[in-house]
Amino acid sequence: MKKDTLCIHGYKHKTDKTGAITVPIFQASTFVYPEVNANAPYCYTRLQNPTREAAEETVAALEGAKEGFAFASGMAAIMTVMELIPPNSHVIATEDLYGGSIRLFNTVCINRNIEFDYVDTADIAAIQAKIKPNTRAVYVESPTNPMIQITDIPAVKTAIQGLDILLIADNTFLTPYYMNPLALGADIVIHSGTKYLGGHSDTLAGFAVLNDDALRTRLRTLHKSIGACLSPFDSFLIIRGIKTLALRMDKAQANAMAIAEWLSAQPKITSVNYAGLPTHKGHEILKKQARGFGAMISFETDTPQTAREILNRVSIISYAESLGCVNTLITIPTLCTHEDVPPEEREARGISDRLLRLSVGIENAEDLIEDLRQAIG
Ligand SMILES: *Cc1c(COP(=O)(O)O)cnc(C)c1O
């Protein structure tokens, strides 16, 4: 089945006796055993629930994975996956990583004495230079947030081939509709389902999908033991959200392309980062690895004042955190998502107070451009 069909038919759950065409919300914590010693598929919802199972099967099918696990948030997925990394080991991560992941690594994961090195993972030599005998994972995000940098995932895989190092990819920005990192060499793929998979800013969710049998067994144990699993109702919202994933992604991407081109021609906009622009540094690499460029843009204004005025003046576009929903959202990384990053480090990475990040939604492109035009002034 093609991706857009899998969005609708990605789970095995069959219509029940009532003929309900959607997966019912099995709002039950426990399930009655049919008989003593029966091998019941469901016994307790922390272990498995039919609604959550359908959400997991859908994301796994879209990623081409043997198994998927649904979590209460993206951070819950990342935290649980990081428990696979043994204490006293070393992890190399993309420097331009989601801010919450950096906070998790530097405040929680370090308690098991895991050491992190943050590098520009677009630079394979930089990764190689950091590999140590106890390196156990390379953690990548591509495109990155907010600089939209692209990592060559198969090249990272080649660089760590034969070493006991897991390649973990956060695929939130491109979604399984546009990219499948497992097929590119990743061992584990993570999603914040809160973003494009849910798509409507009405729920939090996270996913981890993988193929390796031994890792699956370990992650299954961690998932049920830690218990940060997705509720039946939120699983239902994710299943419902994914039904329109293909439509939403294609529309958001077309809007993003139109906006990126328009922004590039504005005198008060000094640079535009969008992977779909042929001038973008990672454009050709992404073209080989993915079926689309997504709908995340960042751009720099001429002055900090212009950036702030845009935030104050937008009317269709909302000044809000998060991304990947039907609404177009704009944010200023220095004040929101990257507030915790020290100013010198932010500057070195190009995250200035003139940088804005746009998560393009599915409104009409002309309306969005008109809103930006009046906001830029
Ligand atoms: C939002 C986000 C997360 C965290 O997910 P939550 O659902 O907010 O916990 C992780 N990675 C990326 C790339 C994100 O955008």
Side-chain angles (χ1 to χ4, degrees):
M1 274 189 269
K2 300 283 197 294
K3 299 286 174 201
D4 42 1
T5 308
L6 283 174
C7 287
I8 322 285
H9 298 282
Y11 50 80
K12 298 188 201 84
H13 187 89
K14 289 279 170 284
T15 311
D16 70 359
K17 280 189 216 147
T18 66
I21 200 156
T22 55
V23 182
I25 303 168
F26 287 91
Q27 194 67 39
S29 60
T30 191
F31 298 84
V32 179
Y33 288 118
E35 57 189 315
V36 176
N37 280 338
N39 199 3
Y42 308 103
C43 58
Y44 189 60
T45 280
R46 178 154 39 75
L47 278 56
Q48 193 48 294
N49 174 284
T51 318
R52 187 167 74 233
E53 188 170 49
E56 292 173 340
E57 284 170 359
T58 306
V59 177
L62 283 167
E63 283 287 15
K66 278 193 193 161
E67 192 164 4
F69 296 91
F71 296 87
S73 67
M75 293 322 300
I78 298 169
M79 178 64 210
T80 307
V81 164
M82 290 310 285
E83 287 290 319
L84 292 167
I85 311 298
N88 309 315
S89 49
H90 170 247
V91 173
I92 299 169
T94 305
E95 67 180 354
D96 198 20
L97 208 60
Y98 176 70
S101 302
I102 295 180
R103 185 175 54 227
L104 176 78
F105 295 167
N106 293 350
T107 62
V108 181
C109 298
I110 54 157
N111 295 328
R112 290 196 302 118
N113 202 26
I114 298 178
E115 188 200 350
F116 291 87
D117 259 319
Y118 298 93
V119 305
D120 173 6
T121 49
D123 180 355
I124 301 298
I127 299 176
Q128 277 167 323
K130 289 288 182 193
I131 295 175
K132 300 187 195 186
N134 66 335
T135 304
R136 289 292 164 270
V138 175
Y139 188 104
V140 301
E141 224 175 276
S142 176
T144 60
N145 176 18
M147 298 311 291
I148 321 291
Q149 283 160 352
I150 306 300
T151 292
D152 186 337
I153 297 174
V156 176
K157 184 64 180 178
T158 306
I160 59 174
Q161 200 76 48
L163 303 173
D164 184 14
I165 300 178
L166 290 176
L167 178 52
I168 304 170
D170 182 331
N171 195 26
T172 300
F173 272 31
L174 285 183
T175 82
Y177 178 59
Y178 282 148
M179 187 166 77
N180 300 121
L182 293 176
L184 300 171
D187 298 292
I188 302 173
V189 174
I190 288 173
H191 286 280
S192 167
T194 310
K195 315 295 168 52
Y196 291 103
L197 300 180
H200 296 75
S201 304
D202 53 11
T203 184
L204 293 180
F207 288 87
V209 302
L210 66 175
N211 282 324
D212 182 81
D213 291 337
L215 280 178
R216 282 164 56 203
T217 305
R218 288 175 60 205
L219 193 57
R220 206 175 299 132
T221 304
L222 288 168
H223 187 238
K224 72 177 179 193
S225 304
I226 294 173
C229 48
L230 195 62
S231 78
F233 181 67
D234 293 301
S235 299
F236 171 84
L237 288 176
I238 292 293
I239 294 166
R240 177 178 154 122
I242 291 176
K243 301 231 169 169
T244 56
L245 178 68
L247 286 174
R248 287 187 286 106
M249 290 310 292
D250 285 340
K251 169 85 185 199
Q253 173 173 261
N255 283 352
M257 194 67 208
I259 291 171
E261 282 172 349
W262 181 82
L263 282 172
S264 303
Q266 301 312 304
K268 287 191 186 175
I269 306 302
T270 55
S271 68
V272 178
N273 306 309
Y274 177 58
L277 292 173
T279 48
H280 185 280
K281 201 172 144 221
H283 179 79
E284 290 303 323
I285 293 171
L286 196 57
K287 232 161 115 175
K288 278 189 253 156
Q289 305 184 359
R291 294 172 292 275
F293 302 103
M296 295 300 299
I297 299 175
S298 63
F299 60 95
E300 261 191 334
T301 56
D302 53 355
T303 64
Q305 185 61 18
T306 307
R308 282 170 192 248
E309 276 168 8
I310 292 172
L311 297 175
N312 282 329
R313 287 185 192 153
V314 282
S315 69
I316 295 173
I317 300 169
S318 305
Y319 171 28
E321 298 226 11
S322 199
L323 60 106
C325 65
V326 290
N327 302 55
T328 299
L329 305 178
I330 195 163
T331 179
I332 178 158
T334 49
L335 297 181
C336 303
T337 51
H338 289 65
E339 205 189 8
D340 294 349
V341 181
E344 324 78 70
E345 194 188 323
R346 277 199 311 241
E347 282 295 330
R349 283 163 47 187
I351 308 170
S352 74
D353 51 6
R354 295 180 291 115
L355 186 81
L356 297 176
R357 186 192 77 183
L358 204 54
S359 167
V360 180
I362 63 169
E363 301 94 334
N364 182 284
E366 283 173 31
D367 287 336
L368 294 174
I369 288 173
E370 210 36 61
D371 196 22
L372 285 169
R373 188 197 308 278
Q374 64 78 25
I376 294 170

